[in-house]
Amino acid sequence: MTENNSHDSTDDEVATDGGIAGQPGQAHRNTDYLSAEVNLLNPSTTFMRDHLRIVWTGFAIWVLAVWGPVTMTYLATDAMTTQMPVLGFPLHYFLVAFGAPTSALILSFWYSRKRDALDEKYGIDHTTVEETGRSGGATAADGGVDE
């Protein structure tokens, strides 16, 4: 297996938890979120704004997929409770029993693709220590004291 590491210079690599961040990603990591006010409706970084746009879009689609058939059954009871000619199930039952889980799978795939594109846009790389060939040995969990 060959290694394809785009960061050949060790000067601009930063020891992280396994990922390598580009400049926008590193600026995001340098933000002190414990002392800053976090507002989900007005995020502090462009990465958070873009990520929340993806999350809220997915949430809106999920609400429509799950609650749309229920609401339509309430509003148009006759149309939604008629038997489907092929399967013999009521339309509202089919949409809730098949449509909601299927839409959840599709949304999961959609989110992973959008998040990967977002990570690529901001230079966030999720390679592990084993994949990059950098190894610092085991980390002591007691503050770095070897016994």
Side-chain angles (χ1 to χ4, degrees), residues 69-93:
V70 175
T71 304
M72 288 304 297
T73 302
Y74 178 76
L75 296 176
T77 306
D78 293 335
M80 293 296 285
T81 57
T82 59
Q83 299 291 323
M84 292 176 41
V86 175
L87 298 174
F89 291 112
L91 181 59
H92 73 284
Y93 179 80

Short mmCIF file of all heavy atoms in Angstrom, two decimals, residues 69-93:
data_model
loop_
_atom_site.label_atom_id
_atom_site.label_comp_id
_atom_site.label_asym_id
_atom_site.label_seq_id
_atom_site.Cartn_x
_atom_site.Cartn_y
_atom_site.Cartn_z
N PRO A 69 -46.51 13.03 5.37
CA PRO A 69 -47.62 12.09 5.21
C PRO A 69 -48.65 12.16 6.34
O PRO A 69 -49.85 12.03 6.10
CB PRO A 69 -46.94 10.72 5.19
CG PRO A 69 -45.54 10.98 4.78
CD PRO A 69 -45.21 12.34 5.31
N VAL A 70 -48.19 12.40 7.55
CA VAL A 70 -49.11 12.51 8.69
C VAL A 70 -50.00 13.74 8.53
O VAL A 70 -51.23 13.67 8.71
CB VAL A 70 -48.32 12.57 10.01
CG1 VAL A 70 -49.25 12.81 11.19
CG2 VAL A 70 -47.52 11.29 10.22
N THR A 71 -49.40 14.85 8.16
CA THR A 71 -50.16 16.09 7.95
C THR A 71 -51.12 15.95 6.77
O THR A 71 -52.28 16.38 6.85
CB THR A 71 -49.19 17.27 7.72
OG1 THR A 71 -48.30 17.34 8.82
CG2 THR A 71 -49.94 18.57 7.60
N MET A 72 -50.65 15.32 5.69
CA MET A 72 -51.52 15.13 4.53
C MET A 72 -52.68 14.20 4.85
O MET A 72 -53.78 14.35 4.32
CB MET A 72 -50.72 14.60 3.34
CG MET A 72 -49.79 15.64 2.72
SD MET A 72 -50.65 17.14 2.20
CE MET A 72 -51.72 16.50 0.95
N THR A 73 -52.45 13.22 5.71
CA THR A 73 -53.53 12.33 6.12
C THR A 73 -54.59 13.11 6.89
O THR A 73 -55.79 12.86 6.74
CB THR A 73 -52.99 11.17 6.98
OG1 THR A 73 -52.02 10.46 6.22
CG2 THR A 73 -54.09 10.21 7.39
N TYR A 74 -54.17 14.05 7.70
CA TYR A 74 -55.11 14.88 8.45
C TYR A 74 -55.87 15.83 7.51
O TYR A 74 -57.08 16.01 7.63
CB TYR A 74 -54.38 15.67 9.52
CG TYR A 74 -55.28 16.60 10.30
CD1 TYR A 74 -56.13 16.10 11.27
CD2 TYR A 74 -55.27 17.97 10.06
CE1 TYR A 74 -56.96 16.94 11.98
CE2 TYR A 74 -56.09 18.82 10.77
CZ TYR A 74 -56.94 18.30 11.73
OH TYR A 74 -57.77 19.13 12.43
N LEU A 75 -55.14 16.43 6.55
CA LEU A 75 -55.75 17.42 5.67
C LEU A 75 -56.57 16.79 4.54
O LEU A 75 -57.60 17.33 4.14
CB LEU A 75 -54.68 18.33 5.07
CG LEU A 75 -53.92 19.21 6.08
CD1 LEU A 75 -52.82 19.98 5.38
CD2 LEU A 75 -54.87 20.14 6.81
N ALA A 76 -56.10 15.69 3.98
CA ALA A 76 -56.78 15.04 2.85
C ALA A 76 -56.99 13.57 3.20
O ALA A 76 -56.39 12.67 2.61
CB ALA A 76 -55.96 15.18 1.58
N THR A 77 -57.88 13.32 4.14
CA THR A 77 -58.08 11.98 4.68
C THR A 77 -58.51 11.00 3.60
O THR A 77 -58.00 9.87 3.53
CB THR A 77 -59.13 12.02 5.80
OG1 THR A 77 -58.71 12.98 6.77
CG2 THR A 77 -59.26 10.67 6.48
N ASP A 78 -59.42 11.38 2.75
CA ASP A 78 -59.92 10.45 1.73
C ASP A 78 -58.83 10.02 0.75
O ASP A 78 -58.71 8.84 0.42
CB ASP A 78 -61.08 11.10 0.95
CG ASP A 78 -62.31 11.29 1.84
OD1 ASP A 78 -62.44 10.54 2.83
OD2 ASP A 78 -63.11 12.20 1.53
N ALA A 79 -58.04 10.96 0.28
CA ALA A 79 -56.99 10.62 -0.69
C ALA A 79 -55.88 9.78 -0.06
O ALA A 79 -55.35 8.87 -0.70
CB ALA A 79 -56.40 11.90 -1.27
N MET A 80 -55.53 10.07 1.18
CA MET A 80 -54.41 9.37 1.81
C MET A 80 -54.79 8.00 2.37
O MET A 80 -53.91 7.17 2.59
CB MET A 80 -53.82 10.24 2.92
CG MET A 80 -53.16 11.50 2.44
SD MET A 80 -51.72 11.21 1.41
CE MET A 80 -50.53 10.73 2.62
N THR A 81 -56.05 7.76 2.61
CA THR A 81 -56.46 6.47 3.18
C THR A 81 -56.99 5.51 2.13
O THR A 81 -57.42 4.41 2.48
CB THR A 81 -57.51 6.68 4.28
OG1 THR A 81 -58.62 7.38 3.75
CG2 THR A 81 -56.93 7.42 5.46
N THR A 82 -56.96 5.87 0.87
CA THR A 82 -57.39 4.94 -0.18
C THR A 82 -56.35 3.84 -0.34
O THR A 82 -55.16 4.04 -0.11
CB THR A 82 -57.57 5.66 -1.53
OG1 THR A 82 -56.33 6.27 -1.90
CG2 THR A 82 -58.66 6.70 -1.46
N GLN A 83 -56.83 2.67 -0.76
CA GLN A 83 -55.93 1.54 -0.95
C GLN A 83 -55.10 1.74 -2.22
O GLN A 83 -55.61 2.15 -3.25
CB GLN A 83 -56.75 0.25 -1.10
CG GLN A 83 -57.59 -0.10 0.11
CD GLN A 83 -56.75 -0.52 1.29
OE1 GLN A 83 -55.74 -1.18 1.14
NE2 GLN A 83 -57.17 -0.13 2.48
N MET A 84 -53.81 1.44 -2.12
CA MET A 84 -52.94 1.49 -3.31
C MET A 84 -53.27 0.29 -4.16
O MET A 84 -53.40 -0.83 -3.65
CB MET A 84 -51.47 1.48 -2.89
CG MET A 84 -51.03 2.73 -2.19
SD MET A 84 -49.33 2.70 -1.58
CE MET A 84 -48.43 1.93 -2.85
N PRO A 85 -53.41 0.45 -5.48
CA PRO A 85 -53.82 -0.67 -6.33
C PRO A 85 -52.79 -1.80 -6.41
O PRO A 85 -53.15 -2.96 -6.54
CB PRO A 85 -54.03 -0.04 -7.71
CG PRO A 85 -53.38 1.29 -7.66
CD PRO A 85 -53.27 1.69 -6.24
N VAL A 86 -51.51 -1.49 -6.28
CA VAL A 86 -50.48 -2.52 -6.46
C VAL A 86 -50.28 -3.33 -5.18
O VAL A 86 -50.33 -4.56 -5.20
CB VAL A 86 -49.15 -1.88 -6.90
CG1 VAL A 86 -48.05 -2.90 -6.98
CG2 VAL A 86 -49.32 -1.17 -8.23
N LEU A 87 -50.08 -2.68 -4.06
CA LEU A 87 -49.74 -3.38 -2.83
C LEU A 87 -50.94 -3.62 -1.92
O LEU A 87 -50.88 -4.48 -1.04
CB LEU A 87 -48.67 -2.60 -2.06
CG LEU A 87 -47.33 -2.45 -2.78
CD1 LEU A 87 -46.41 -1.54 -1.99
CD2 LEU A 87 -46.68 -3.79 -3.00
N GLY A 88 -51.98 -2.85 -2.08
CA GLY A 88 -53.16 -3.02 -1.25
C GLY A 88 -53.09 -2.32 0.09
O GLY A 88 -53.96 -2.49 0.93
N PHE A 89 -52.02 -1.57 0.35
CA PHE A 89 -51.90 -0.81 1.59
C PHE A 89 -52.51 0.57 1.40
O PHE A 89 -52.52 1.10 0.30
CB PHE A 89 -50.42 -0.62 1.97
CG PHE A 89 -49.73 -1.87 2.38
CD1 PHE A 89 -48.73 -2.42 1.61
CD2 PHE A 89 -50.07 -2.50 3.57
CE1 PHE A 89 -48.08 -3.56 1.99
CE2 PHE A 89 -49.42 -3.65 3.96
CZ PHE A 89 -48.43 -4.19 3.17
N PRO A 90 -52.96 1.19 2.48
CA PRO A 90 -53.36 2.59 2.39
C PRO A 90 -52.12 3.46 2.08
O PRO A 90 -51.01 3.14 2.52
CB PRO A 90 -53.90 2.93 3.77
CG PRO A 90 -54.20 1.61 4.40
CD PRO A 90 -53.27 0.62 3.79
N LEU A 91 -52.30 4.51 1.30
CA LEU A 91 -51.19 5.35 0.87
C LEU A 91 -50.44 5.94 2.06
O LEU A 91 -49.20 5.94 2.07
CB LEU A 91 -51.70 6.48 -0.04
CG LEU A 91 -50.65 7.43 -0.58
CD1 LEU A 91 -49.62 6.67 -1.39
CD2 LEU A 91 -51.32 8.51 -1.41
N HIS A 92 -51.14 6.41 3.08
CA HIS A 92 -50.45 7.01 4.22
C HIS A 92 -49.59 5.99 4.96
O HIS A 92 -48.50 6.30 5.43
CB HIS A 92 -51.46 7.66 5.19
CG HIS A 92 -52.27 6.70 5.97
ND1 HIS A 92 -53.33 6.00 5.43
CD2 HIS A 92 -52.16 6.30 7.27
CE1 HIS A 92 -53.85 5.22 6.36
NE2 HIS A 92 -53.16 5.38 7.48
N TYR A 93 -50.05 4.75 5.04
CA TYR A 93 -49.27 3.70 5.69
C TYR A 93 -47.98 3.43 4.91
O TYR A 93 -46.89 3.32 5.49
CB TYR A 93 -50.09 2.42 5.82
CG TYR A 93 -49.33 1.29 6.46
CD1 TYR A 93 -49.19 1.23 7.83
CD2 TYR A 93 -48.72 0.31 5.68
CE1 TYR A 93 -48.47 0.20 8.43
CE2 TYR A 93 -48.01 -0.72 6.27
CZ TYR A 93 -47.88 -0.76 7.64
OH TYR A 93 -47.17 -1.76 8.22
#
